[in-house]
Amino acid sequence: MRTPHRAAVLYCSEVTTMAMEYGVSEIMVNASPLENPSISLRDPQVYQSIFGGGESDAGVSVTPTTALGYAPLWRAINLVSGDVAKLPLNVYRRLPDGGKEKARTHPAWSLLNRQVTDAVDSVSFKECLTAHALLRGNGYAVIQRDGRGDPVELLILNPAETYAAMLNGDVWYVTHINGEQVPLRSDDVFHVKGLSPDGLIGYDIVTLMADALSVGMAASKFGARFFGQGSNMSGLLMVPGSFSDSKMRNSIAAFDSMVSGIGKSHRIGLLQDGVKFQPMTIAPEQAQFLQTREFEIRATVANIIGCPPHKLGDNSKTSYSSLEAENQSYLDECLNRWLVKWEVEASRKLLRQTEYKNDTHFVEFNRNALLRMSSTDRANFYSRLQEHGNLTINDVMRSENLPTIGEKGDRRYRPANLMEIGDESDAAM
């Protein structure tokens, strides 16, 4: 049984050290404890090599901040984390007949559907932890418990300062508060992780995919410089001989006054003293960065995040017959793995130990909230289920967030010509 306690709080004014409570004097944490124990986080240079910041082969610096400034990656992370956050995450109680019912009075219900703290709501919490896991490979939150061991708060931890470590064969987490190490039991850390080499910590995408991301980031940076540093001249004024500085400025000003502005489009210009206007065009090799940026959406960002390219603005390969089919593909190929990770971690860490071991309760997302059908399809769907007694009128009304019609709306119906298999003799009489 878990020992009830109040875990350390991050971002609070007073640092709460739990080492004395756990009987642990110090936990030496390494950047990658299971790979290279000789590397210590006390060395500042470790942060540069592990968490990014160096220049990639494409000549751009890839850090968590600069990577998020890359529009396709921002879109992908914002999309996936936002969609995970908006789906209801419910606590269910299993019924003796094999059904289930929502356990709205369970302590985890409010945390997963309302507020995780007084300042942070559950939607923002789910969005933040998922974004951390997508970008950094790990999203952490410390679980505050009451005297009975029930969860009462979830506080987000900085993924750059929180690590998993092994101590006497057990998994511990260590976070840094005001420069001090604070140990946390594994049961008291809510951890959403991405693809992992050891099952304990997820790969840091910024570090692992730095060179792959840098190609698209370099193309974006080139485009900004191309249009921002004078390479977007519309043309050149070619003059015979040489002009003085004042005459050059006067000639350019006179030309601008003739042709600049939407109201002066298609007007006739007059050039004197043998001046000729040479329009400028973008060379094909310079224009290729446009194709590069489009390709990077498909080949890099979509592959890294697992998000369909059309969700990131690339409509070159969209072949879905309906919005429902598109969302089903998105759910199956991208979202579902993150939803399952949340469900497993929430069931393991937020349910009571007896509930989890005896499988009397579980946590599950309502995926139907994403697969919203058209009004015509929903009407046909409800009609078929109601005809066969699977749904009542009140069930349909609740699904559409409409008021029920009273006790009569809970009656179930079936077609009059249906009979139990084996009773054909009665029909012949």
Side-chain angles (χ1 to χ4, degrees):
M1 182 176 179
R2 295 189 182 101
T3 302
H5 68 277
R6 183 167 179 82
V9 180
L10 188 65
Y11 307 132
C12 63
S13 58
E14 180 181 357
V15 177
T16 305
T17 303
M18 300 169 62
M20 295 298 294
E21 179 180 348
Y22 291 133
V24 180
S25 60
E26 182 179 10
I27 295 181
M28 295 303 295
V29 185
N30 302 311
S32 300
L34 304 181
E35 296 178 11
N36 190 355
S38 66
I39 299 177
S40 173
L41 288 173
R42 299 183 187 277
D43 183 359
Q45 294 182 353
V46 171
Y47 289 92
Q48 178 80 2
S49 61
I50 293 179
F51 298 112
E55 195 170 87
S56 67
D57 290 342
V60 297
S61 176
V62 182
T63 67
T65 302
T66 59
L68 277 179
Y70 181 38
L73 184 65
W74 168 269
R75 169 60 178 162
I77 291 178
N78 199 33
L79 175 71
V80 175
S81 61
D83 284 342
V84 170
K86 74 182 183 182
L87 293 179
L89 183 54
N90 299 320
V91 180
Y92 290 98
R93 179 187 300 107
R94 297 191 187 276
L95 300 177
D97 61 358
K100 63 181 181 181
E101 65 178 3
K102 293 179 180 178
R104 295 182 181 273
T105 59
H106 195 282
W109 177 278
S110 179
L111 292 177
L112 297 174
N113 292 279
R114 294 182 181 174
Q115 298 285 130
V116 296
T117 68
D118 292 338
V120 181
D121 61 79
S122 61
V123 173
S124 299
F125 172 78
K126 288 185 286 186
E127 184 177 46
C128 182
L129 248 63
T130 305
H132 285 175
L134 286 165
L135 185 65
R136 307 304 304 271
N138 303 277
Y140 303 100
V142 64
I143 305 171
Q144 297 275 37
R145 302 184 186 276
D146 60 18
R148 295 172 297 181
D150 291 334
V152 294
E153 280 187 325
L154 295 168
L155 298 129
I156 299 170
L157 300 175
N158 187 341
E161 297 183 356
T162 306
Y163 317 96
M166 298 295 295
L167 179 67
N168 300 327
D170 296 325
V171 179
W172 287 72
Y173 290 90
V174 176
T175 190
H176 286 73
I177 302 177
N178 294 342
E180 295 190 19
Q181 294 180 347
V182 178
L184 300 168
R185 270 194 290 245
S186 177
D187 285 348
D188 295 320
V189 176
F190 194 98
H191 183 191
V192 179
K193 67 177 79 67
L195 183 64
S196 171
D198 48 33
L200 296 180
I201 55 173
Y203 283 111
D204 189 319
I205 296 300
V206 174
T207 303
L208 191 66
M209 296 293 176
D211 284 334
L213 288 170
S214 66
V215 176
M217 294 170 65
S220 179
K221 192 171 184 179
F222 171 80
R225 289 182 175 177
F226 183 81
F227 291 107
Q229 295 184 356
S231 295
N232 59 331
M233 293 183 295
S234 61
L236 297 173
L237 290 178
M238 305 178 65
V239 300
S242 61
F243 279 7
S244 64
D245 290 344
S246 60
K247 189 169 184 179
M248 282 193 295
R249 287 193 292 269
N250 291 337
S251 298
I252 294 174
F255 184 78
D256 281 343
S257 66
M258 286 191 296
V259 299
S260 296
I262 189 66
K264 298 177 182 178
S265 300
H266 309 294
R267 292 185 62 179
I268 298 174
L270 176 64
L271 300 178
Q272 302 181 33
D273 297 328
V275 176
K276 295 181 180 179
F277 176 70
Q278 176 64 47
M280 295 286 291
T281 59
I282 300 176
E285 62 273 13
Q286 292 176 322
Q288 285 181 355
F289 80 90
L290 297 175
Q291 287 88 4
T292 300
R293 295 183 68 180
E294 293 175 357
F295 176 77
E296 285 302 310
I297 294 177
R298 295 191 299 270
T300 300
V301 177
N303 283 334
I304 290 175
I305 303 300
C307 188
H310 69 273
K311 289 283 188 180
L312 306 181
D314 180 3
N315 296 319
S316 59
K317 294 184 179 180
T318 303
S319 57
Y320 297 100
S321 58
S322 67
L323 178 63
E324 183 185 3
E326 178 182 320
N327 285 337
Q328 182 67 60
S329 174
Y330 173 51
L331 174 63
D332 293 341
E333 299 173 10
C334 179
L335 278 188
N336 209 36
R337 66 183 294 257
W338 294 107
L339 302 183
V340 171
K341 288 176 182 290
W342 270 90
E343 290 168 346
V344 170
E345 188 72 358
S347 295
R348 180 165 162 258
K349 302 284 182 69
L350 300 183
L351 297 181
R352 299 182 180 97
Q353 196 170 42
T354 54
E355 296 170 345
Y356 178 70
K357 286 187 175 181
N358 297 330
D359 197 26
T360 60
H361 293 69
F362 64 98
V363 179
E364 186 177 64
F365 277 98
N366 178 12
R367 290 163 173 78
N368 291 331
L370 178 69
L371 304 177
R372 190 68 172 173
M373 296 177 287
S374 66
S375 56
T376 301
D377 291 337
R378 292 204 310 277
N380 293 333
F381 171 76
Y382 291 141
S383 178
R384 293 292 299 274
L385 291 180
Q386 188 180 348
E387 286 176 0
H388 292 277
N390 301 105
L391 291 179
T392 67
I393 295 176
N394 282 345
D395 290 334
V396 176
M397 303 299 280
R398 294 187 189 100
S399 298
E400 290 295 305
N401 293 320
L402 296 173
T404 59
I405 62 173
E407 293 183 1
K408 291 185 178 180
D410 290 323
R411 295 177 180 176
R412 297 179 183 272
Y413 300 91
R414 62 174 177 81
N417 59 344
L418 288 180
M419 62 187 68
E420 185 179 352
I421 296 175
D423 289 348
E424 292 84 354
S425 58
D426 294 339
M429 298 178 60

mmCIF file of all heavy atoms in Angstrom, residues 87 196 198 200 217 226 300 312 329 333 372 375 414:
data_model
loop_
_atom_site.group_PDB
_atom_site.id
_atom_site.type_symbol
_atom_site.label_atom_id
_atom_site.label_comp_id
_atom_site.label_asym_id
_atom_site.label_seq_id
_atom_site.Cartn_x
_atom_site.Cartn_y
_atom_site.Cartn_z
ATOM 1 N N LEU A 87 -10.348 15.843 -25.627
ATOM 2 C CA LEU A 87 -11.164 14.642 -25.470
ATOM 3 C C LEU A 87 -11.426 14.372 -23.992
ATOM 4 O O LEU A 87 -10.504 14.450 -23.170
ATOM 5 C CB LEU A 87 -10.468 13.433 -26.093
ATOM 6 C CG LEU A 87 -10.310 13.443 -27.610
ATOM 7 C CD1 LEU A 87 -9.572 12.185 -28.064
ATOM 8 C CD2 LEU A 87 -11.670 13.523 -28.296
ATOM 9 N N SER A 196 10.889 5.104 -26.339
ATOM 10 C CA SER A 196 11.927 5.046 -25.310
ATOM 11 C C SER A 196 12.931 3.941 -25.623
ATOM 12 O O SER A 196 12.558 2.877 -26.141
ATOM 13 C CB SER A 196 11.289 4.795 -23.938
ATOM 14 O OG SER A 196 12.263 4.532 -22.952
ATOM 15 N N ASP A 198 14.591 2.405 -23.213
ATOM 16 C CA ASP A 198 14.654 1.514 -22.064
ATOM 17 C C ASP A 198 13.342 1.403 -21.303
ATOM 18 O O ASP A 198 13.275 0.718 -20.287
ATOM 19 C CB ASP A 198 15.743 1.986 -21.095
ATOM 20 C CG ASP A 198 15.644 3.485 -20.798
ATOM 21 O OD1 ASP A 198 14.505 3.992 -20.772
ATOM 22 O OD2 ASP A 198 16.680 4.133 -20.626
ATOM 23 N N LEU A 200 11.974 3.741 -19.625
ATOM 24 C CA LEU A 200 11.952 4.676 -18.501
ATOM 25 C C LEU A 200 11.869 6.118 -18.956
ATOM 26 O O LEU A 200 11.134 6.909 -18.381
ATOM 27 C CB LEU A 200 13.210 4.482 -17.633
ATOM 28 C CG LEU A 200 13.351 3.125 -16.943
ATOM 29 C CD1 LEU A 200 14.636 3.086 -16.126
ATOM 30 C CD2 LEU A 200 12.148 2.833 -16.065
ATOM 31 N N MET A 217 14.074 24.188 -41.235
ATOM 32 C CA MET A 217 14.302 25.446 -40.523
ATOM 33 C C MET A 217 15.243 26.349 -41.309
ATOM 34 O O MET A 217 15.058 27.565 -41.360
ATOM 35 C CB MET A 217 14.853 25.161 -39.134
ATOM 36 C CG MET A 217 13.874 24.449 -38.209
ATOM 37 S SD MET A 217 14.618 23.864 -36.661
ATOM 38 C CE MET A 217 15.069 25.424 -35.906
ATOM 39 N N PHE A 226 15.866 36.062 -47.720
ATOM 40 C CA PHE A 226 15.740 36.341 -49.151
ATOM 41 C C PHE A 226 14.834 37.542 -49.394
ATOM 42 O O PHE A 226 15.109 38.402 -50.228
ATOM 43 C CB PHE A 226 15.192 35.109 -49.855
ATOM 44 C CG PHE A 226 15.076 35.255 -51.349
ATOM 45 C CD1 PHE A 226 16.182 35.071 -52.152
ATOM 46 C CD2 PHE A 226 13.869 35.566 -51.944
ATOM 47 C CE1 PHE A 226 16.092 35.197 -53.529
ATOM 48 C CE2 PHE A 226 13.762 35.693 -53.309
ATOM 49 C CZ PHE A 226 14.886 35.515 -54.106
ATOM 50 N N THR A 300 9.563 15.198 -43.216
ATOM 51 C CA THR A 300 10.204 15.363 -41.914
ATOM 52 C C THR A 300 9.193 15.490 -40.786
ATOM 53 O O THR A 300 9.073 14.593 -39.942
ATOM 54 C CB THR A 300 11.129 16.598 -41.928
ATOM 55 O OG1 THR A 300 12.129 16.427 -42.936
ATOM 56 C CG2 THR A 300 11.814 16.761 -40.587
ATOM 57 N N LEU A 312 -1.265 19.241 -41.628
ATOM 58 C CA LEU A 312 -0.241 20.268 -41.458
ATOM 59 C C LEU A 312 -0.240 21.270 -42.601
ATOM 60 O O LEU A 312 0.688 22.059 -42.733
ATOM 61 C CB LEU A 312 1.139 19.607 -41.357
ATOM 62 C CG LEU A 312 1.282 18.522 -40.294
ATOM 63 C CD1 LEU A 312 2.695 17.963 -40.292
ATOM 64 C CD2 LEU A 312 0.926 19.058 -38.931
ATOM 65 N N SER A 329 -8.834 8.006 -39.585
ATOM 66 C CA SER A 329 -7.447 7.752 -39.964
ATOM 67 C C SER A 329 -6.482 8.491 -39.044
ATOM 68 O O SER A 329 -5.465 7.940 -38.600
ATOM 69 C CB SER A 329 -7.214 8.182 -41.420
ATOM 70 O OG SER A 329 -5.855 8.081 -41.769
ATOM 71 N N GLU A 333 -3.808 6.467 -36.724
ATOM 72 C CA GLU A 333 -2.404 6.557 -37.090
ATOM 73 C C GLU A 333 -1.591 7.499 -36.214
ATOM 74 O O GLU A 333 -0.361 7.410 -36.192
ATOM 75 C CB GLU A 333 -2.283 7.004 -38.551
ATOM 76 C CG GLU A 333 -2.915 6.040 -39.541
ATOM 77 C CD GLU A 333 -2.939 6.593 -40.955
ATOM 78 O OE1 GLU A 333 -2.306 7.637 -41.188
ATOM 79 O OE2 GLU A 333 -3.578 5.971 -41.822
ATOM 80 N N ARG A 372 -17.000 12.824 -34.820
ATOM 81 C CA ARG A 372 -18.314 13.445 -34.904
ATOM 82 C C ARG A 372 -18.853 13.311 -36.321
ATOM 83 O O ARG A 372 -18.227 13.741 -37.294
ATOM 84 C CB ARG A 372 -18.208 14.933 -34.551
ATOM 85 C CG ARG A 372 -19.540 15.638 -34.363
ATOM 86 C CD ARG A 372 -20.255 15.145 -33.123
ATOM 87 N NE ARG A 372 -21.443 15.932 -32.836
ATOM 88 C CZ ARG A 372 -22.313 15.637 -31.905
ATOM 89 N NH1 ARG A 372 -22.140 14.574 -31.150
ATOM 90 N NH2 ARG A 372 -23.357 16.399 -31.684
ATOM 91 N N SER A 375 -25.009 15.480 -39.375
ATOM 92 C CA SER A 375 -26.336 15.361 -38.754
ATOM 93 C C SER A 375 -27.148 14.230 -39.384
ATOM 94 O O SER A 375 -27.852 13.489 -38.684
ATOM 95 C CB SER A 375 -27.090 16.688 -38.885
ATOM 96 O OG SER A 375 -27.178 17.083 -40.245
ATOM 97 N N ARG A 414 -38.325 -3.129 -29.788
ATOM 98 C CA ARG A 414 -37.744 -4.001 -30.806
ATOM 99 C C ARG A 414 -38.786 -4.224 -31.888
ATOM 100 O O ARG A 414 -39.991 -4.101 -31.652
ATOM 101 C CB ARG A 414 -37.332 -5.339 -30.202
ATOM 102 C CG ARG A 414 -38.491 -6.152 -29.605
ATOM 103 C CD ARG A 414 -38.026 -7.521 -29.165
ATOM 104 N NE ARG A 414 -39.084 -8.286 -28.521
ATOM 105 C CZ ARG A 414 -40.046 -8.963 -29.172
ATOM 106 N NH1 ARG A 414 -40.065 -8.946 -30.500
ATOM 107 N NH2 ARG A 414 -40.973 -9.633 -28.508
#
